[in-house]
Amino acid sequence: ENQDSSPSQSQLPSSPTPSLLLHYSTTPRQLVNQQTATMILDKMLGLCCSQSETMSTALKMFGKKKDDKIQEEEEVAAPAKRDDIIKVSAFTGVQTKYENMKWKQLSIKARKAAKVLGYEEESWNDSTWIEVSDYHWWDLSEEQKAAAETMGWSEGAWESQYEDYSWEDLPEIVKKAATAGGFTSAMWDEDTWPEDLYKSWDELTNKQRDAMAVLGYGRETWDH
C-alpha cells in the first residue's frame, strides 16, 4: 500500500536546475534542511552571476576608456595637415624690425623703443606713418637712433632699404633676405626686381614680407 512518493524518471524535467535536483534527492524528513540549502545555493549562484556581470561591465568600461585613450594618442601623434603647419620665419623679430608683429607681441624693450620713436599701440598696429619716418638717419637724436637700433634698424635700411648698396657690400643677413625674396646677386646689382614681388604688401606671402622687412620695407614704404 505504501507507494513510493518519489517521481518517476519520466516526470523529472529534462534539464533540472540545481535546486530541483537537490529537492528530488531528499526525503520529506530533510525538507527543512533542503530548503535552507537551496536558498544558500541560489544566493551563491546569484552572487556569482552578479560578480560576473559586474566584472564584464567593468572590463567593457575599461576597454572603452583604453580605446578612447589610444585614439586620443593617435590623434596627437598624427601629422598635422599642410594648412595647419605653422610656418616659422627664417628671420627674428629684430631682424624684420618687428614689422609683422602686433604691439602685444613686442617685448617690453621693443615697446619702449617704439614709444621713443613716436609709436603707440594703435599707430603701431595700424602701420601709421609717424613723424620720425621722414627724418634722415643723421637727423635722429641720439635717443631716437638708439631706439631705432633696438628695433633692428641700421642706416642702410633706414635710408634706402640698401638699394644704393652693391651685392658685395650687403650685410650677410640682408643677402639672405634678398635671396629669400627672389633676388640673385646679378639682379641686385642690375636693379632688377623679381616678378613675384610686384604685389601689394598684403598680397605678399609671409616669407616675402619677412624678407622685405629685413631690407627695411614695411606696409607704408612698400605700398607708397
Side-chain angles (χ1 to χ4, degrees):
E1 294 180 1
N2 293 331
Q3 297 179 352
D4 188 358
S5 59
S6 300
S8 64
Q9 185 68 25
S10 61
Q11 292 176 312
L12 288 173
S14 58
S15 299
T17 63
S19 59
L20 286 174
L21 285 175
L22 185 61
H23 172 74
Y24 291 125
S25 66
T26 57
T27 64
R29 289 191 297 270
Q30 297 173 316
L31 181 59
V32 174
N33 292 336
Q34 176 270 331
Q35 291 176 340
T36 302
T38 300
M39 292 176 60
I40 294 174
L41 180 59
D42 288 342
K43 287 183 178 180
M44 291 177 63
L45 289 173
L47 179 61
C48 177
C49 294
S50 176
Q51 289 178 340
S52 177
E53 292 175 358
T54 302
M55 291 178 64
S56 177
T57 303
L59 286 173
K60 289 181 180 179
M61 293 177 63
F62 175 78
K64 185 177 186 302
K65 291 181 179 179
K66 183 178 180 180
D67 291 342
D68 290 345
K69 181 176 180 60
I70 292 174
Q71 183 177 357
E72 291 173 1
E73 290 176 350
E74 289 176 347
E75 289 175 355
V76 171
K81 296 180 180 178
R82 182 178 298 274
D83 294 340
D84 296 335
I85 296 175
I86 299 176
K87 299 176 178 61
V88 179
S89 173
F91 307 100
T92 65
V94 68
Q95 289 171 345
T96 62
K97 325 295 186 287
Y98 302 99
E99 175 64 31
N100 297 318
M101 297 176 68
K102 294 298 184 180
W103 183 264
K104 291 184 178 179
Q105 295 175 301
L106 300 179
S107 66
I108 295 176
K109 183 178 180 181
R111 288 185 197 178
K112 288 181 178 179
K115 286 184 176 181
V116 170
L117 295 176
Y119 284 104
E120 295 294 339
E121 181 173 1
E122 183 177 359
S123 57
W124 177 271
N125 289 338
D126 293 342
S127 299
T128 302
W129 189 271
I130 57 175
E131 182 180 353
V132 74
S133 300
D134 290 326
Y135 293 7
H136 288 292
W137 183 259
W138 47 85
D139 290 331
L140 297 174
S141 68
E142 290 301 317
E143 183 183 23
Q144 289 172 328
K145 190 178 294 185
E149 290 174 343
T150 298
M151 299 295 291
W153 289 96
S154 64
E155 182 175 344
W158 186 276
E159 284 294 315
S160 64
Q161 293 81 44
Y162 294 100
E163 287 186 6
D164 55 353
Y165 282 60
S166 68
W167 183 266
E168 184 178 354
D169 294 333
L170 291 175
E172 287 302 315
I173 188 63
V174 178
K175 288 182 180 179
K176 180 180 178 181
T179 301
F183 286 95
T184 64
S185 58
M187 292 173 65
W188 184 272
D189 287 337
E190 295 170 3
D191 197 23
T192 302
W193 279 69
E195 292 184 5
D196 201 33
L197 292 181
Y198 285 96
K199 304 174 183 177
S200 68
W201 185 257
D202 288 335
E203 291 173 334
L204 295 175
T205 65
N206 289 335
K207 178 182 177 181
Q208 290 172 327
R209 281 196 292 266
D210 283 345
M212 294 302 98
V214 173
L215 303 184
Y217 288 101
R219 185 183 304 278
E220 291 300 315
T221 53
W222 185 268
D223 289 338
H224 298 87

